[in-house]
């Protein structure tokens, strides 16, 4: 690596400032971890990609306080797709939003609904929030090379205004540098999966007059005419995108003609940009090498689906990693806590890959169809994936990889279930209790007192929430069975809202029991 005159030290450096890198910066800064992010572009891409964000992503945004800034779809909104001659022409038939879907969403599993917001409108929200929490965002700065050693990672960067290159020395690096990740390539981490499927082109255009068609409640249109096919959808802000089923370069006149055909009328429009996208399924064989972590498309390339597995999966990666880095960087946890990132997130990426290609719409792309792969419902995949690692106790090998949160009933390794609660005059979700540190949910004072004692002895953020005193269920039903515990039991929830462990009943020595559990799931440095 070239030597440079100046250098900068940061506990965590993020390379890549798109959806996943910016989310990681926000989550770390919100947790008080000093973080630097470099992104080679100064702003968002002209042609947004992602627009569909899931309930889980919104839950995470809610925990860090930005959900209100992201417009969420009205509860009960049904997303719909039709096969049509054109937008203004005949609509032939409605097709399944998520082909192969088994269970309809009930809408009661989350305090949030999903959001439809263009990537280039969400990214400024993430940027502002990350900066607001103290993240050092360096836009227009490119990574040139890196080298890691036992003590850290040295990253050579160059501002794109042609000022001098300099080195950033980081304790840890998050590679959020996209599907073509140079970091992953240099590390020699291979990827598995169905691989390249095809390359597609698109045209982005503004057409406010077309928005009137959305009043019929359909958002996606498979356009089929003799000699012409395309997929038409909207970013919900008068910008529309027409995706072609091929990789052919089109002239301006051809693009205008195609938009005109897809609209099926003389509505005025303005072409804004074109895009070229690779449709592929690839999952990295390791999400971590030494002090470097892969997140987002750098770790998993998944084709667009109505489940929106791309960016949403990456944002959840960042959320999973952020508290672990916080606890390690602050010295509370041993670095081995970071091993749980790969152990927990790689199977999630892989399951989503398998589920994508087991569904009828993508099964046609893979010759060796993933026969026999059971299909899990969207709610199970999004809100009910099971994580197994040393940071969870009680997620046995025999358990299935995903299920509806109601079925899990507080199973360790899954997201703690959402229940509406009352605390005095306030209504809140169970999820509103999580985020800052560990939380012990119990209806038994002995456990609560044990938690208070352990928090003091171990000097960690551990809060006891006494069910029946601090909170009660808004529906008046007992909370404990929905957490899989008895009245004298307790459930320990991690800072990322995942159930770390539960005790169905009272332990002989609750304080000793809790201290031992925390020592394992948080890899506490109790020996120093
Ligand atoms: C047409 C389309 C529609 C999609 N729709 C959805 C959807 O609705 N919902 C969803 O969840 N997902 C969707 N996806 C997938 C989603 O867009 C991606 O999963 C997501 O953008 C990945 O984010 P990322 O931050 O990991 O990577 P990227 O968005 O690829 O960002 C990587 C960033 O790293 C930067 N970078 C790379 N190298 C360097 C370097 N050397 N130095 C500095 N910076 C560097 C790049 O400039 C870039 O900004 C869609 C994808 C496509 C193609």
């Amino acid at each position: 690596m070239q030597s440079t005159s100046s250098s900068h030290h940061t506990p965590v450096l993020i390379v890549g400032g798109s959806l996943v890198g910016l989310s990681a910066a926000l989550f770390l800064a919100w947790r008080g971890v000093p973080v630097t992010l470099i992104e080679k572009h100064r702003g968002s891409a002209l042609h947004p990609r992602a627009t569909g964000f899931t309930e889980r992503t919104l839950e995470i945004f809610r925990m860090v306080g930005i959900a209100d800034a992201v417009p969420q779809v009205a509860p009960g909104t049904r997303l719909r797709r039709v096969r049509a001659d054109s937008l203004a022409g005949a609509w032939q038939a409605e097709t399944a939003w998520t082909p192969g879907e088994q269970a309809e969403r009930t809408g009661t599993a989350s305090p949030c609904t999903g959001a439809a917001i263009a990537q280039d409108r969400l990214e400024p929200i993430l940027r502002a929030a990350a900066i607001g929490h103290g993240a050092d965002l360096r836009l227009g700065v490119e990574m040139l090379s890196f080298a890691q050693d036992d003590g850290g990672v040295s990253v050579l960067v160059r501002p794109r205004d042609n000022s001098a290159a300099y080195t950033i020395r980081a304790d840890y690096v998050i590679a959020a540098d996209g599907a073509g990740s140079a970091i992953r390539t240099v590390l020699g981490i291979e990827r598995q999966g169905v691989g390249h499927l095809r390359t597609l082109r698109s045209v982005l255009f503004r057409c406010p007059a077309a928005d009137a068609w959305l009043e019929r409640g359909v958002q996606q249109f498979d356009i089929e005419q003799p000699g012409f096919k395309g997929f038409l959808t909207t970013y919900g802000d008068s910008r529309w995108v027409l995706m072609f089923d091929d990789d052919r370069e089109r002239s301006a006149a051809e693009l205008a003609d195609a938009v005109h055909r897809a609209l099926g009328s003389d509505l005025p429009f303005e072409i804004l940009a074109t895009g070229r996208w690779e449709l592929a399924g690839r999952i990295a064989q390791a999400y971590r090498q030494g002090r470097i972590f892969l997140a987002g498309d750098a770790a998993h390339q998944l084709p667009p689906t109505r489940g929106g597995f791309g960016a949403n999966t990456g944002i959840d990666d960042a959320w999973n990693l952020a508290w672990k880095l916080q606890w390690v960087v602050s010295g509370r946890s041993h670095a081995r806590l970071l091993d749980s990132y790969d152990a927990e997130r790689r199977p999630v990426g892989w399951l989503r890959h398998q589920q994508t290609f087991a569904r009828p719409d993508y099964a046609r792309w893979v010759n060796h169809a993933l026969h026999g792969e059971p299909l899990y419902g969207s709610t199970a995949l999004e809100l009910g994936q099971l994580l197994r690692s040393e940071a969870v106790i009680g997620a046995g090998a025999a358990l299935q990889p995903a299920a509806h949160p109601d079925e899990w009933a507080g199973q360790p390794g899954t997201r703690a279930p959402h229940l509406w609660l009352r605390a005095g005059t306030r209504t809140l979700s169970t999820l509103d209790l999580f985020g800052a540190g560990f939380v012990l949910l119990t209806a038994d004072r002995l456990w609560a007192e044990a938690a208070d004692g352990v928090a003091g002895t171990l000097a960690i953020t551990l809060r006891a929430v006494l069910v029946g005193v601090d909170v009660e269920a808004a529906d008046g039903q007992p909370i404990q069975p929905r957490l899989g515990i008895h009245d004298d039991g307790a459930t320990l929830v991690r800072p990322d809202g995942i159930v770390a462990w539960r005790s169905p009943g009272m332990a002989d020595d609750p304080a000793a029991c809790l201290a031992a559990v925390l020592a394992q799931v948080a890899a506490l440095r109790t020996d120093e």
Side-chain angles (χ1 to χ4, degrees):
M1 205 170 81
Q2 269 171 261
S3 67
T4 47
S5 51
S6 62
S7 78
H8 161 81
H9 174 263
T10 179
V12 184
L13 173 69
I14 299 166
V15 179
S18 172
L19 284 170
V20 174
L22 289 172
S23 297
L26 167 59
F27 302 157
L28 286 161
W30 179 78
R31 293 190 174 284
V33 180
V35 55
T36 302
L37 175 148
I38 57 161
E39 162 57 51
K40 63 185 172 190
H41 296 114
R42 289 184 193 286
S44 298
L46 267 183
H47 189 332
R49 284 174 285 165
T51 179
F53 296 91
T54 59
E55 288 99 324
R56 181 59 188 154
T57 294
L58 270 292
E59 286 179 357
I60 296 170
F61 288 171
R62 179 181 171 115
M63 286 190 259
V64 298
I66 63 161
D68 288 346
V70 180
Q72 295 173 47
V73 298
T77 303
R78 204 162 69 81
L79 300 169
R80 292 168 63 200
R81 179 175 175 136
V82 295
R83 193 156 41 75
D85 294 351
S86 66
L87 186 65
W91 292 9
Q92 302 295 352
E94 187 153 351
T95 50
W97 183 263
T98 303
E101 178 72 52
Q102 288 185 319
E104 278 298 310
R105 286 162 194 249
T106 60
T108 57
S110 175
C112 300
T113 56
I117 179 171
Q119 188 162 351
D120 59 349
R121 294 187 188 249
L122 178 55
E123 285 176 1
I125 296 172
L126 295 170
R127 267 186 223 118
I131 291 169
H133 286 287
D136 176 1
L137 303 191
R138 300 184 178 199
L139 306 181
V141 174
E142 184 176 15
M143 181 198 75
L144 299 177
S145 60
F146 68 94
Q148 72 167 315
D149 52 57
D150 290 346
V153 188
S154 295
V155 179
L156 182 65
V157 306
R158 183 181 54 204
R160 288 186 128 188
D161 61 5
N162 284 331
S163 52
Y166 60 95
T167 300
I168 300 179
R169 178 76 176 162
D171 299 336
Y172 295 99
V173 166
I174 299 177
D177 53 346
S181 170
I183 297 181
R184 186 195 62 238
T185 306
V186 170
L187 292 175
I189 299 175
E190 301 287 333
R191 290 180 292 170
Q192 284 176 305
V194 300
H196 172 86
L197 300 174
R198 63 191 307 179
T199 304
L200 306 176
R201 301 272 183 147
S202 66
V203 55
L204 180 77
F205 60 98
R206 191 186 310 282
C207 183
D211 293 350
W213 294 100
L214 295 171
E215 286 165 17
R216 289 169 67 179
V218 174
Q219 301 83 16
Q220 297 192 343
F221 305 85
D222 284 307
I223 307 292
E224 287 185 20
Q225 296 169 16
F228 179 75
K229 270 188 174 186
F231 170 67
L232 181 70
T233 189
T234 176
Y235 283 99
D237 53 10
S238 299
R239 287 182 302 170
W240 290 72
V241 65
L242 177 64
M243 308 276 308
F244 302 107
D245 207 15
D246 59 43
D247 185 22
R248 190 166 70 75
E249 175 103 42
R250 287 169 172 81
S251 67
E254 284 178 301
L255 290 173
D257 179 57
V259 170
H260 191 253
R261 288 183 75 162
L263 292 175
S265 76
D266 288 329
L267 299 178
F269 62 84
E270 175 198 1
I271 289 184
L272 302 173
T274 55
R276 185 166 186 259
W277 320 107
E278 188 196 23
L279 216 63
R282 300 185 179 104
I283 310 295
Q285 287 183 335
Y287 277 20
R288 177 190 183 187
Q289 194 179 101
R291 292 172 169 271
I292 302 175
F293 302 87
L294 307 184
D297 277 18
H300 43 74
Q301 197 177 359
L302 294 162
T305 59
R306 262 73 67 219
F309 290 152
N312 289 296
T313 309
I315 291 167
D316 213 0
D317 293 340
W319 181 243
N320 181 286
L321 184 55
W323 78 269
K324 296 171 183 175
L325 282 171
Q326 177 197 12
W327 282 57
V328 170
V329 164
S330 69
R332 274 166 284 182
S333 296
H334 193 279
R336 69 171 179 274
L337 177 63
L338 300 169
D339 294 342
S340 64
Y341 173 67
D342 175 273
E344 294 180 355
R345 293 305 302 172
R346 199 152 49 84
V348 168
W350 191 244
L351 182 66
R352 290 180 175 202
H353 176 279
Q354 300 299 85
Q355 289 290 304
T356 299
F357 292 100
R359 285 175 195 254
D361 54 341
Y362 276 106
R364 69 191 168 99
W365 294 103
V366 283
N367 299 332
H368 54 95
L370 308 168
H371 290 308
E373 185 80 16
L375 282 182
Y376 298 100
S378 294
T379 307
L381 273 181
E382 210 185 297
L383 303 175
Q385 285 205 221
L386 179 73
L387 307 182
R388 285 195 189 89
S389 75
E390 291 294 306
V392 171
I393 297 174
L399 295 170
Q400 60 185 12
H404 192 285
D406 291 348
E407 278 179 56
W408 282 131
Q411 162 63 43
T414 67
R415 158 191 161 283
H418 152 68
L419 303 170
W420 286 116
L421 303 174
R422 253 196 309 269
T425 54
R426 209 158 63 95
T427 300
L428 71 165
S429 164
T430 37
L431 274 56
D432 298 327
L433 303 170
F434 312 136
F438 279 87
V439 170
L440 191 76
L441 287 166
T442 180
D444 195 303
R445 281 185 189 280
L446 282 181
W447 277 116
E449 285 162 17
D452 290 344
V454 167
T457 322
L458 299 178
I460 58 167
T461 316
L462 164 65
R463 180 180 158 218
V465 175
L466 198 52
V467 171
V469 176
D470 298 329
V471 295
E472 55 192 352
D475 62 8
Q477 300 299 311
I479 292 175
Q480 297 87 314
R482 290 180 272 184
L483 297 174
I485 56 174
H486 303 298
D487 289 351
D488 60 350
T491 289
L492 182 68
V493 181
R494 305 190 323 196
D496 57 357
I498 300 296
V499 178
W501 162 87
R502 68 183 169 192
S503 174
M506 184 52 66
D508 290 343
D509 182 343
C513 172
L514 204 48
V517 163
L518 281 157
Q520 177 179 326
V521 297
L524 292 179
R525 295 169 70 107
T526 46
D527 47 340
E528 286 139 276

